[in-house]
């Protein structure tokens, strides 16, 4: 169904969608190119602050050359009224004769209806070209729109023997500059970054995005701190420009510390807790209400255990440095009580593995992942039973 030319132009659209990462949230990152007689006459990608969707920007650039042209779009065009009119209407009125779409929109308000309206108007619609690449770009959005909670992304930089530190003051910073740069690319695509108070006490991090690509939405810094031990003088309060700080604590946390931390600029949110820690489902529900599409969990060791043991991780990146730490005092990448039996431990599948400088990255998914790209899911339906937005190539 798809030609080499189709693949070439869809790659161009995917590259534009990647430009929207860090700029489109809480909307999905989408790219579009308009092609007439083998030449690109319009291109666009979505930036939330500029409102216009990728298709509209591409059509405006193409102008009258849109007539009898082909549109390559990384995600099904919207067919409902949101902050802007439906993109489907613009495509129909532009005179486009063919629309090639990578993936079906996981939003239940769209989910195939846009494609049907295009086809009903006489436009040829082909769907499924490079759908997996397109799904990776909207992975956080797809999870949030289906579940109301963020895609939970674990990330740990560790040694070959699975350690994140020696246990001594100079035993941190295991991964290379390239590995740390990869971590900032993950921060670019996330809306919030979460650590435990132990990390704040041990490292005094800023918890900011320091990459080179533009990021429009400030990275929300989230701290799990059941007793509100976060220091008043912590560096995260002094970063410029300021970014939101959410501290989740237990209901019994001292009121005086709450007031002082709020004066420093933090927002304190009380949730239920137990011997195993704070209610993480309540944390995720609150973040989902704030339209956090992707939550990057960076630890520390006990926090990773908390999320994994409660089966709340959707995707986990292990960045492995070619060193061995050893030692009884060294800190494991995942702490906590651990599993008593191998049969009780979660199973992961490695979707991709690749080098980053001298380090090596494993992109893994646990069996309970809610991601649309989970290798554990069947090819036709997602975890919620809805249509899985990685369609086989077909014409509508």
């Amino acid at each position: 169904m798809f030609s080499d030319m189709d693949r070439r132009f869809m790659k161009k659209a995917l590259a534009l969608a990647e430009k929207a990462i860090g700029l489109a949230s809480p909307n999905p990152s989408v790219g579009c190119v308009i092609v007439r007689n083998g030449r690109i006459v319009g291109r666009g990608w979505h930036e939330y602050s500029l409102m216009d969707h990728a298709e509209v920007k591409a059509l405006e650039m193409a102008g009258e050359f849109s007539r009898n042209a082909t549109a390559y779009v990384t995600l099904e065009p919207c067919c409902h009224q949101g902050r802007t009119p439906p993109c489907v209407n613009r495509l129909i009125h532009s005179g486009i004769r063919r629309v090639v779409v990578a993936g079906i929109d996981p939003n239940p308000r769209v989910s195939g209806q846009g494609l049907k309206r295009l086809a009903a108007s006489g436009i040829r619609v082909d769907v499924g070209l490079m759908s997996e690449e397109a799904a990776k770009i909207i992975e956080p959005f797809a999870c949030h729109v289906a579940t109301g909670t963020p895609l939970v992304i674990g990330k740990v930089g560790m040694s070959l023997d699975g350690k994140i530190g020696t246990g001594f003051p100079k035993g941190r910073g295991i991964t290379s500059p390239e590995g740390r740069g990869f971590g900032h690319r993950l921060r670019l695509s996330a809306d919030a970054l979460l650590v435990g108070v132990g990390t704040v006490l041990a490292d005094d991090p800023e918890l900011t995005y320091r990459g080179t690509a533009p990021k429009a939405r400030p990275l929300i810094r989230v701290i799990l701190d059941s007793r509100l031990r976060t220091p008043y003088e912590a560096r995260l309060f002094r970063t410029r420009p300021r970014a939101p700080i959410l501290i989740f604590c237990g209901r019994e946390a001292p009121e005086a510390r709450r007031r002082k931390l709020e004066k420093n600029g933090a927002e304190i949110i009380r949730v239920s807790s137990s011997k195993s820690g704070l209610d993480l489902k309540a944390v995720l529900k609150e973040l989902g209400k704030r339209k956090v599409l992707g939550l990057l969990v960076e630890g520390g060791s006990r926090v990773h255990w908390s999320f994994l043991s409660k089966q709340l991780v959707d995707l986990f990146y292990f960045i492995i440095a070619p060193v061995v730490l050893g030692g009884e005092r060294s800190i494991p990448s995942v702490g906590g009580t651990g599993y008593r039996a191998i049969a009780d431990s979660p199973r992961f599948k490695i979707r991709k593995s690749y080098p980053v400088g001298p380090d090596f990255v494993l992109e893994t998914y646990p069996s309970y992942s809610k991601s649309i790209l989970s290798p554990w899911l069947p090819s036709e339906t997602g975890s919620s039973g809805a249509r899985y937005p990685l369609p086989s190539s077909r014409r509508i």
Side-chain angles (χ1 to χ4, degrees), residues 367-382:
S367 59
Y368 48 79
S369 171
K370 304 184 300 298
S371 169
I372 59 173
L373 282 174
S374 171
W376 296 91
L377 295 177
S379 60
E380 289 298 315
T381 58

Side-chain angles (χ1 to χ4, degrees), residues 126-369:
D126 295 316
V127 61
L129 177 59
M130 305 182 74
S131 59
E132 187 169 342
E133 293 89 336
K136 186 62 180 174
I137 294 173
I138 65 159
E139 191 175 17
F141 168 80
C143 181
H144 184 270
V145 79
T147 67
T149 56
L151 181 80
V152 178
I153 308 158
K155 189 226 80 174
V156 64
M158 66 184 195
S159 63
L160 288 170
D161 53 341
K163 309 296 184 179
I164 61 173
T166 64
F168 295 92
K170 295 183 179 180
R172 299 182 182 275
I174 295 172
T175 55
S176 66
E178 293 89 346
R180 292 190 289 275
F182 176 81
H184 279 284
R185 290 198 294 277
L186 295 180
R187 291 185 183 188
L188 170 67
S189 61
D191 295 315
L193 170 66
L194 183 148
V195 299
V197 69
T199 295
V200 176
L201 294 172
D203 298 343
D204 193 19
E206 293 183 347
L207 304 178
T208 55
Y209 166 67
R210 298 185 296 277
T212 57
K215 183 174 178 63
R217 191 177 180 186
L219 184 67
I220 300 172
R221 282 89 56 81
V222 181
I223 303 168
L224 302 182
D225 185 0
S226 59
R227 291 178 290 163
L228 291 180
R229 294 186 295 150
T230 299
Y232 303 137
E233 68 278 6
R235 286 201 302 163
L236 60 90
F237 292 118
R238 304 195 302 269
T239 59
R240 294 291 185 272
R242 296 293 292 269
I245 301 170
L246 301 183
I247 301 180
F248 287 88
C249 67
R251 300 197 186 281
E252 303 303 319
E255 181 65 17
R257 291 196 63 84
R258 179 194 66 81
R259 291 194 297 267
K260 186 65 177 293
L261 288 168
E262 286 183 340
K263 285 183 179 179
N264 278 15
E267 180 179 353
I268 310 300
I269 303 172
R270 296 184 185 272
V271 296
S272 300
S273 60
S274 64
K275 290 182 179 180
S276 62
L278 297 175
D279 184 348
L280 296 183
K281 289 185 177 179
V283 171
L284 295 179
K285 185 176 180 180
E286 177 63 30
L287 294 176
K289 290 179 180 177
R290 296 168 184 254
K291 295 187 178 181
V292 171
L293 308 186
L295 171 66
L296 182 61
V297 178
E298 292 198 353
S301 181
R302 291 180 182 178
V303 168
H304 285 312
W305 165 256
S306 296
F307 276 90
L308 287 168
S309 63
K310 293 178 176 63
Q311 298 190 351
L312 296 175
V313 176
D314 300 304
L315 164 62
F316 209 118
Y317 287 96
F318 295 91
I319 308 173
I320 305 171
V323 297
V324 171
L325 297 186
E328 294 182 355
R329 290 187 55 171
S330 59
I331 305 168
S333 58
V334 180
T337 58
Y339 296 98
R340 293 189 176 185
I342 296 295
D344 297 333
S345 62
R347 291 293 184 267
F348 286 73
K349 286 186 179 181
I350 300 172
R351 182 172 173 268
K352 285 187 177 182
S353 58
Y354 42 86
V356 177
D359 304 329
F360 201 75
V361 174
L362 298 180
E363 181 184 294
T364 71
Y365 290 78
S367 59
Y368 48 79
S369 171

